[in-house]
Amino acid sequence: MTKQEFLTRLKSKLSVLSTEEVNELLDEYSEYIQNKISEGKSEQEAVSDFGNVDELAREILKAYKIDDQYTQKEDLSSQIT
């Protein structure tokens, strides 16, 4: 997965947060990825270091005290349409 694909998927998963919060998080993860690339990792390796995007988003939302069941419902509704 490319950096842009990762950030796009993460943004989608975090859409329950405010735009400001999402942008701050995306900037932070973008910077992490860029740092890893600067250290010699490929873009794909840098992105894969974060693991599964869904799991990462769940952990982030959990830190914001947002119910994981809410995000799962969102995921299911987008698959139905």
Side-chain angles (χ1 to χ4, degrees):
M1 178 181 318
T2 67
K3 176 182 173 180
Q4 189 56 50
E5 290 168 332
F6 172 82
L7 294 174
T8 299
R9 287 186 64 193
L10 187 59
K11 180 179 181 180
S12 172
K13 300 289 180 183
L14 299 178
S15 63
V16 297
L17 299 176
S18 74
T19 301
E20 182 179 335
E21 290 169 325
V22 171
N23 288 339
E24 286 177 12
L25 287 163
L26 293 178
D27 287 347
E28 185 177 327
Y29 281 96
S30 179
E31 187 176 324
Y32 287 151
I33 293 168
Q34 199 55 48
N35 287 340
K36 290 178 184 211
I37 291 170
S38 296
E39 293 170 357
K41 290 192 174 196
S42 72
E43 185 174 335
Q44 288 75 22
E45 289 172 324
V47 169
S48 70
D49 282 351
F50 293 112
N52 183 293
V53 177
D54 296 334
E55 299 272 330
L56 176 61
R58 277 199 251 347
E59 288 300 314
I60 292 169
L61 293 174
K62 188 176 178 182
Y64 279 87
K65 309 254 188 271
I66 296 180
D67 184 5
D68 183 40
Q69 295 299 314
Y70 177 79
T71 59
Q72 288 178 4
K73 290 175 193 170
E74 288 290 310
D75 290 344
L76 290 175
S77 67
S78 66
Q79 292 173 4
I80 295 170
T81 56

